Amino acid sequence: MSAPAALWTGEPILLIEDEPSVIAFLRAALERKGYAVVNASSGAEGLQRLSNGRYAGVISDIRMPGAVNGAEVHAWIQKNRPELRARIILISGDTANSETQAFLAQSGTPCIEKPFRVQQLISIVEKTFGKP
Amino acid sequence: MELAVEAAQSRHLPEFLEQFARRAARMLDAVWGGVAVYRGRETELYSMAGSSDPTFPGGADWLISRALECLNNMESRAIPKEIAAALQFPGDPGTAVFVRIAASDNERLGTLCLFRRRKSLSADEKRLLHALASHAALSLENFRRFSQLERSKRQWVEDIDAISDYIVVHDRAWNIVRTNRSLASHLGVPPVALVGKAMSSLRQIAETGSDLACPFCQDTQRTREEYVAASAERIFLVSTSRTPGISDDDTRTIHVLKDITDRREAERRYRELFDSIQEGLFFATPEGRFLDVNDAMVRMLGYGSREELLRADVSPHLYPAPEAREKFLRALSERGVLRNYEETLRRKDGTLLHTLQNITAVRDAHGHIAQVRGLMLDVTEQKTFQSQLQRERDFNQKILNTTQSMILVLDTAGLISYANRRCYEAGYQESELIGHRLVDWVEGSHREDFDAALETTANGHQVENLELRVRRSDGSMGHFSISLSPMRDEQNTVNSVVVVMTDITDAALLQAKLAHSEKMATIGRLVSGVAHEVNNPLAAILGFTDLLLENPEVRGSAREDLQIILQETQRTKDIVQDLLSFARQRPVQRELVQVNNVLRQTIKLRGYDFASHGVEVAEEFEETLAPALGDSQQLQQVFLNILNNAYDAVQEAGQRGKIKIQTRRNAEMIEVAISDNGTGIADPQRIFDPFYTTKQVGKGTGLGLSICYGIVRAHGGEIQCWNNEAGAGSTFVVRIPVATESALAAAAAKEAGR
């Protein structure tokens, strides 16, 4: 699903991730490249923010504690934010899980496996959300 | 002659003889006369009337003894037959004359004795004596005949009277001529009292329903009649004979009334018993046709009535096996009696009746069997029970003989008394089992355990799944699961022990493999969780290190340190990746794989290294090898891993390395054996455990073979390794299933079910 580089909308990126160190690193890496970042520390909070605001794209961890995981965030967006359908990047620490694999294969959503290099992250973000 | 007639008519012999003696004495001028009469051994002397005894003392005895003596002499012809000698009396001048009195058949009847004064007898006197003797003989004979007649007549009446049956004779006028005493005493009168009475007076004895004047006559035209008549208490068999006489006075009708009350009762009881007995009773012809049967017999054979069963045409239906019947007759003819003879008969409805019979043959005058009598028991149920028992026994026998377990019976002393077929199939000899102690087959260190278990069982408790090492018939030791059960006798005493032994050596191996794969699965789950948790901090470390390195303010030694952090983070990432790929249950691609080709490609990958380091690789491939079913990439990873290990091992050994790779088909498996002449493996049992490594720190993650293990297992195959017995080095064997049609179908089904 490698579409031509997306157009930057100027809105912040919604980061849904429960691990504070990972949030800190992602925020630092993205802000350094000129992106604005709003973060939610659970799937439920992410959905709440998505309902209330506008975002250039969503970066979400797949496996999170709580009722809503990455796959469900993805499904909610497909249904309620059609403009964000192609603007989702998933992060996974657990691609070995067969459920995760099945989900990724079926949705065609780009996914970065933890741990990853900054360059890997930036190139996939620029391609999916556009360059500021 | 007159005298003879007189004598015959006379009822009193002594009187006649006394008169005779007197006449004879007078005729022969004797002073005394007498007749000695012999009756058997007895002798009686009858003196002439008027004179009591001979005139001298003891005369009678003297005379009799003389008379007998003379008689004997006459018979021995010592003296003339007709007349005896004249004998001198002792002390008296007279003479005694003895004349023999003999019957016509010369039987001696008596002796005439005369006592005279004169000595000699004249010829006339002799003739006279002779005539007198003949006369006396005739008289005595007649007299005897008459008295015999008299006696016999009297006897006859007594005999008739002695008969307990009632006898009555009547004439044509229906008047009683005679009755016997039984009848009279039945009526409480002397027999004479009934003579002349009307026959109708006997009506009280028994009611016959006859309207004739005689209650016992029914048809006066017949000379013989026989029927049964009953009174209130008694039953009589009335037999009647009629003797038609010349005149009416001579016509006699004789009734004999036989009291058959008891016989009737006995018959009734017999019939009652015959009919009420639960066993079948029968009388039959030798051919098997029933002459009489009881009700039980009718019931047993399912007929509606006795008459139906007694019909002649029943027998062909009755005997399903006529040939057995002939055998039966032969046996019965030989022995006369058959006890517990088993015969199968056919009931009216066609079902079979199993019987047990006791049979007696009744023979005719020629010894042929005239009738067959017997008693019959219905043993169908027992027979069914018996056959059920037999079936059960067969079933048990089959189980005993076909089970894969060895089953033995021991006495309480531990000696083997029975071993099932499996024991012998396993190679043990009967001579080394029966009568020997089972414990002798148990490995020395386990004998105490076995003895303890035997004692527990002897005390009535079951021992289950005792695992012991036992010597097999070929001498090798096997791992056996042993159960002991007590067997009790009627008194509930344990008298033997049933031992069930199963060789679980293979099962134990399987158990070990299972335990291993379970361990691996658990490790897999653990690793997956750990990897995930490690990835988060690792992501932050790696990310921030990248960010720091991008920062131009970081310089010099700090930058170098960051490089090390980056490098080590990368290494950690690799470890976690390996861990994850070990734990990863990535589905195996199911495709046809030419294992030989995969191996050749793998060898090519390392070909340069092998060649440059002098490691020789020998390929011993089975060229017609069937394709396997699996994932060629994953299999390549497995083979590469093993080759790398082999390469490291031979390098370490420091000699000319040699790696041999063999392929072959073994049953439904493709077997790949890779052996080297390297250093061998310290612990082949643990080599597939994650993080088990013999390599230097940093050289490997210790996960390679664990991943191989996971891949091969996912293929439905197995991987093993051991140190070579001969020479150095170790061997790895990988087995993966051949792509058979069934394997392909199973794979397709699994695919569809996913």
Side-chain angles (χ1 to χ4, degrees), chain B residues 611-668:
Chain B
S612 60
H613 290 89
V615 176
E616 184 195 333
V617 176
E619 295 174 12
E620 291 181 19
F621 294 170
E622 187 177 299
E623 285 309 330
T624 55
L625 201 62
L629 192 65
D631 187 321
S632 59
Q633 274 193 322
Q634 289 188 16
L635 287 176
Q636 187 166 13
Q637 190 185 343
V638 170
F639 297 142
L640 187 63
N641 214 308
I642 298 171
L643 276 178
N644 285 341
N645 274 312
Y647 176 78
D648 290 345
V650 296
Q651 285 295 99
E652 210 177 308
Q655 58 184 24
R656 187 173 170 78
K658 190 170 178 184
I659 298 171
K660 187 168 74 177
I661 306 171
Q662 290 168 297
T663 60
R664 64 176 188 128
R665 178 171 176 166
N666 184 0
E668 293 304 294

Side-chain angles (χ1 to χ4, degrees), chain A residues 117, chain B residues 542 565-575:
Chain A
R117 305 295 300 268
Chain B
L542 188 61
I565 292 173
L566 187 68
Q567 193 185 315
E568 290 305 302
T569 309
Q570 283 286 7
R571 199 160 79 86
T572 311
K573 184 188 160 186
D574 288 347
I575 292 170

Side-chain angles (χ1 to χ4, degrees), chain A residues 46-66:
Chain A
L47 292 190
Q48 201 185 349
R49 288 193 185 283
L50 274 170
S51 318
N52 299 331
R54 292 186 60 82
Y55 299 96
V58 177
I59 299 176
S60 173
D61 195 1
I62 293 178
R63 196 160 119 174
M64 287 179 292

Side-chain angles (χ1 to χ4, degrees), chain B residues 407-419 433 435-439 450-451 454 482 484-487 494-499 501:
Chain B
I407 298 174
L408 302 113
V409 177
L410 312 186
D411 60 22
T412 43
L415 299 177
I416 301 167
S417 60
Y418 168 83
L433 288 181
H436 292 266
R437 279 152 35 100
L438 179 59
V439 72
F450 181 82
D451 280 335
L454 191 62
I482 302 177
L484 299 98
S485 316
M487 277 220 300
V494 176
N495 62 355
S496 50
V497 173
V498 179
V499 181
M501 296 179 42

Side-chain angles (χ1 to χ4, degrees), chain A residues 25 32 93-94 114 117-118, chain B residues 532 535-536 543 546-547 570:
Chain A
F25 150 61
R32 198 170 292 184
D94 179 25
K114 292 177 194 169
R117 305 295 300 268
V118 173
Chain B
H532 185 263
N535 272 339
N536 275 327
D546 264 346
L547 289 178
Q570 283 286 7

Side-chain angles (χ1 to χ4, degrees), chain B residues 424-463:
Chain B
Y424 303 118
E425 283 169 358
Y428 294 101
Q429 298 298 310
E430 189 172 344
S431 59
E432 55 188 10
L433 288 181
I434 305 298
H436 292 266
R437 279 152 35 100
L438 179 59
V439 72
D440 294 342
W441 292 91
V442 177
E443 194 186 61
S445 62
H446 285 168
R447 283 185 189 164
E448 236 173 79
D449 293 347
F450 181 82
D451 280 335
L454 191 62
E455 203 187 321
T456 307
T457 314
N459 287 331
H461 305 287
Q462 178 102 9
V463 175

Side-chain angles (χ1 to χ4, degrees), chain B residues 348-472:
Chain B
K348 188 186 178 188
D349 64 6
T351 58
L352 294 181
L353 173 76
H354 296 284
T355 66
L356 199 65
Q357 303 176 19
N358 283 332
I359 297 161
T360 313
V362 178
R363 297 179 196 269
D364 63 15
H366 308 289
H368 299 132
I369 298 178
Q371 217 185 74
V372 176
R373 295 179 182 172
L375 189 138
M376 184 180 281
L377 284 174
D378 179 354
V379 292
T380 311
E381 235 170 81
Q382 286 94 314
K383 202 89 182 166
T384 318
F385 180 67
Q386 208 174 353
S387 63
Q388 203 178 329
L389 210 65
Q390 186 62 40
R391 268 202 302 279
E392 236 163 73
R393 201 170 295 159
D394 289 350
F395 179 67
N396 289 342
Q397 198 62 39
K398 262 187 200 131
I399 291 178
L400 271 179
N401 285 337
T402 55
T403 179
Q404 287 306 297
S405 295
M406 300 200 292
I407 298 174
L408 302 113
V409 177
L410 312 186
D411 60 22
T412 43
L415 299 177
I416 301 167
S417 60
Y418 168 83
N420 73 341
R421 193 190 291 169
R422 177 70 198 145
C423 298
Y424 303 118
E425 283 169 358
Y428 294 101
Q429 298 298 310
E430 189 172 344
S431 59
E432 55 188 10
L433 288 181
I434 305 298
H436 292 266
R437 279 152 35 100
L438 179 59
V439 72
D440 294 342
W441 292 91
V442 177
E443 194 186 61
S445 62
H446 285 168
R447 283 185 189 164
E448 236 173 79
D449 293 347
F450 181 82
D451 280 335
L454 191 62
E455 203 187 321
T456 307
T457 314
N459 287 331
H461 305 287
Q462 178 102 9
V463 175
E464 299 270 7
N465 297 327
L466 185 68
E467 290 195 9
L468 297 178
R469 288 175 66 76
V470 174
R471 187 152 46 87
R472 297 200 187 96

